[in-house]
Amino acid sequence: MIKILHLSDIHMGSGFSHGRVNPETGLNTRLEDFMAALECCIDRAIDEPVDLVLFGGDAFPDSTPPPFVAEAFANQFRRLVDAQIPTVLLVGNHDQHTQGQGGASLCIYRTLGVPGFVVGDRLDTHRIQTRRGPVQIITLPWLTRSTLLTRPETEGLSMAEVGQLLIDRLRLALEGEIRQLDPDVPTVLLAHLMTDTARYGAERLLAVSKGFTVPIALLARSCFDYVALGHVHRHQVLCEQPPIVYPGSIERVDFSEEAEEKGFVLVQLERGKAEFEFCPLPVRAFRTIELDLSETNDPQGKLLHALQAAELRDAVVRVIYHIRSEHLDQIDAGVVHQALASTHNYTIHPELVSQLARPRLPELGVGRSMEPMEALKTYLANRDDLREMEAALLSAAQSLLSEQDADWGAIDDSAIVSDSQLRLL
Ligand SMILES: [Mn+2]
């Protein structure tokens, strides 16, 4: 049995707007949160100890992280070198640089010859000796169209045809690697990609380069004992045999990950069999408080009540409230800030409810039903300018309705006359 720790999507250095500067360290608190989450992963790898660490890609928000962010990442992975745990760093879309062949934020680890470290920046098979025997790792970094196809090959093709051509190329290239595998050695495919069956997370909004979606059938092969994925931030298991797993990101990158549990995966691997377990990380809470204050006479009271009832201590909080413009001055900003003082960081977004969206006559609002004559009477009661014509309009309507009765048989009693229909009058 070979023990593997599989983590992915570290994105160290992102989400600074959700933190603040720690006066003691001078660092953004969200960088410290990400450092702590990564430290937990590496602690576990060393405590177990595992025989191999697989990183599924996207180390930083982009391929040129500031030195202090690159150092925070290196400080943790350095501990694996000291513990003599072999490690594979896969290149994700956020790690790639457009300049230079194979340019990526992680290639420095290969250039420096870090002992036991493999950088997966191309489709390749690595045979790694672990304490508990050999393992084969096929690395499949984030692929762009230009990695697999040349411009003349795609000329005149539709997007769908290009997509199909890409998949055909990838299938062929992957087949080439599979043929060279030793069938007796445990094998892992380590890939940074979007599959056709994955549920999206924040990466949909974060992705800058255009990629393509890989059919799950291409990955669910018996030659792989475990498929270690990266890219999608929401932890999910796409297949049980072989296990195809996204561990998800290790910390919340933004509010789209508010409800997601964060963690890493521990795998017990042998040829033909893999058992895995998701290990949650204690990461910072994100909370959205959204309130409709447009229908209350005490918007401030309702807002404060909601803030006091929520568990907001040390959380990253955003408050969104919908309010009518004439009630805006009833919100005392000072008191609201006070109520949010125990949070880690907060933003407040008042949204004005448009007067136009409100029904002109509340009695005729959405969801109310009335007989046509009753509805017309209500309408006319609100139109002082039509008072003189009221009797004439009502009798005209009555005769129109009885004509309709005569022509079409019984009129449906439950006929609903809406505000917009009345507007035609
Ligand atoms: Mn990615």
Side-chain angles (χ1 to χ4, degrees):
M1 282 269 196
I2 294 171
K3 248 190 207 179
I4 299 174
L5 188 142
H6 169 207
L7 78 163
S8 190
D9 296 82
I10 295 172
H11 285 272
M12 187 166 274
S14 56
F16 280 11
S17 64
H18 300 308
R20 54 178 185 233
V21 174
N22 178 347
E24 279 171 30
T25 59
L27 295 176
N28 186 289
T29 51
R30 286 302 285 159
L31 177 64
E32 294 180 326
D33 285 349
F34 280 65
M35 286 161 67
L38 180 56
E39 187 173 14
C40 278
C41 300
I42 305 297
D43 281 352
R44 184 68 183 267
I46 293 169
D47 290 348
E48 283 286 331
V50 300
D51 307 302
L52 177 70
V53 169
L54 298 177
F55 168 59
D58 285 355
F60 310 106
D62 58 52
S63 62
T64 54
F68 68 100
V69 174
E71 191 186 5
F73 181 91
N75 274 337
Q76 290 306 324
F77 279 91
R78 157 73 199 253
R79 298 171 59 210
L80 297 175
V81 183
D82 293 343
Q84 298 184 326
I85 297 173
T87 299
V88 183
L89 301 176
L90 187 69
V91 168
N93 50 314
H94 289 268
D95 307 316
Q96 286 174 339
H97 199 277
T98 46
Q99 286 184 359
Q101 280 289 314
S105 53
L106 297 171
C107 290
I108 189 73
Y109 291 87
R110 179 171 52 218
T111 308
L112 289 172
V114 178
F117 271 50
V118 169
V119 176
D121 61 348
R122 65 187 76 119
L123 179 61
D124 204 353
T125 304
H126 308 268
R127 195 181 163 105
I128 296 173
Q129 272 306 325
T130 75
R131 274 180 285 233
R132 278 178 257 201
V135 58
Q136 304 173 105
I137 310 291
I138 297 182
T139 51
L140 175 57
W142 179 256
L143 295 179
T144 55
R145 191 191 292 194
S146 60
T147 330
L148 292 168
L149 296 173
T150 59
R151 194 179 288 268
E153 288 175 311
T154 59
E155 235 152 30
L157 295 182
S158 71
M159 287 296 285
E161 288 169 324
V162 171
Q164 191 51 52
L165 199 53
L166 279 167
I167 299 301
D168 291 344
R169 282 293 158 85
L170 176 58
R171 181 178 286 119
L172 266 178
L174 202 53
E175 206 56 52
E177 296 300 320
I178 289 170
R179 271 184 212 161
Q180 293 171 38
L181 290 173
D182 181 337
D184 300 323
V185 173
T187 303
V188 174
L189 172 66
L190 175 63
H192 193 92
L193 48 79
M194 183 69 210
T195 63
D196 53 354
T197 56
R199 288 167 301 154
Y200 292 84
E203 68 294 331
R204 185 181 33 162
L205 310 167
L206 297 172
V208 278
S209 49
K210 290 192 185 88
F212 60 103
T213 300
V214 176
I216 193 83
L218 214 64
L219 313 175
R221 307 267 307 256
S222 60
C223 52
F224 305 134
D225 300 308
Y226 181 78
V227 179
L229 296 181
H231 187 52
V232 175
H233 287 193
R234 180 203 294 246
H235 162 61
Q236 53 200 292
V237 179
L238 300 174
C239 179
E240 292 286 343
Q241 195 53 47
I244 301 181
V245 181
Y246 282 111
S249 50
I250 62 165
E251 243 286 0
R252 297 193 169 94
V253 170
D254 59 30
F255 272 97
S256 69
E257 299 179 45
E258 178 173 349
E260 294 172 9
E261 192 164 35
K262 297 290 148 196
F264 57 89
V265 173
L266 276 182
V267 189
Q268 303 252 24
L269 184 80
E270 58 187 308
R271 181 69 192 112
K273 187 175 162 220
E275 281 172 8
F276 65 96
E277 153 196 20
F278 177 73
C279 306
L281 287 164
V283 299
R284 191 174 296 283
F286 275 50
R287 298 254 188 277
T288 299
I289 309 281
E290 186 160 12
L291 287 171
D292 181 5
L293 303 178
S294 67
E295 301 296 333
T296 173
N297 291 320
D298 180 20
Q300 169 91 352
K302 190 173 174 185
L303 177 58
L304 287 180
H305 186 265
L307 295 182
Q308 278 149 12
E311 186 50 67
L312 302 181
R313 178 166 292 279
D314 293 331
V316 176
V317 176
R318 69 174 167 181
V319 181
I320 303 166
Y321 60 82
H322 305 268
I323 191 165
R324 276 149 62 185
S325 54
E326 66 265 32
H327 284 164
L328 258 186
D329 55 1
Q330 291 185 28
I331 302 288
D332 181 343
V335 177
V336 176
H337 289 302
Q338 192 77 47
L340 291 163
S342 74
T343 65
H344 181 72
N345 169 298
Y346 64 86
T347 52
I348 303 172
H349 313 265
E351 288 188 3
L352 291 185
V353 175
S354 163
Q355 292 299 302
L356 293 172
R358 295 174 56 76
R360 290 188 303 163
L361 303 179
E363 309 94 294
L364 296 178
V366 179
R368 313 241 174 160
S369 76
M370 240 183 224
E371 304 238 345
M373 282 310 290
E374 207 54 42
L376 180 58
K377 278 179 199 157
T378 310
Y379 174 73
L380 290 172
N382 282 277
R383 289 288 299 264
D384 288 343
D385 53 326
L386 295 177
R387 180 125 316 152
E388 286 174 15
M389 296 165 71
E390 190 173 339
L393 281 166
L394 284 171
S395 93
Q398 189 65 65
S399 68
L400 276 171
L401 286 171
S402 42
E403 239 174 74
Q404 199 178 352
D405 261 350
D407 288 352
W408 306 65
I411 187 164
D412 187 349
D413 279 342
S414 65
I416 295 169
V417 174
S418 70
D419 203 22
S420 56
Q421 281 172 289
L422 275 173
R423 205 167 296 151
L424 298 172
L425 278 174

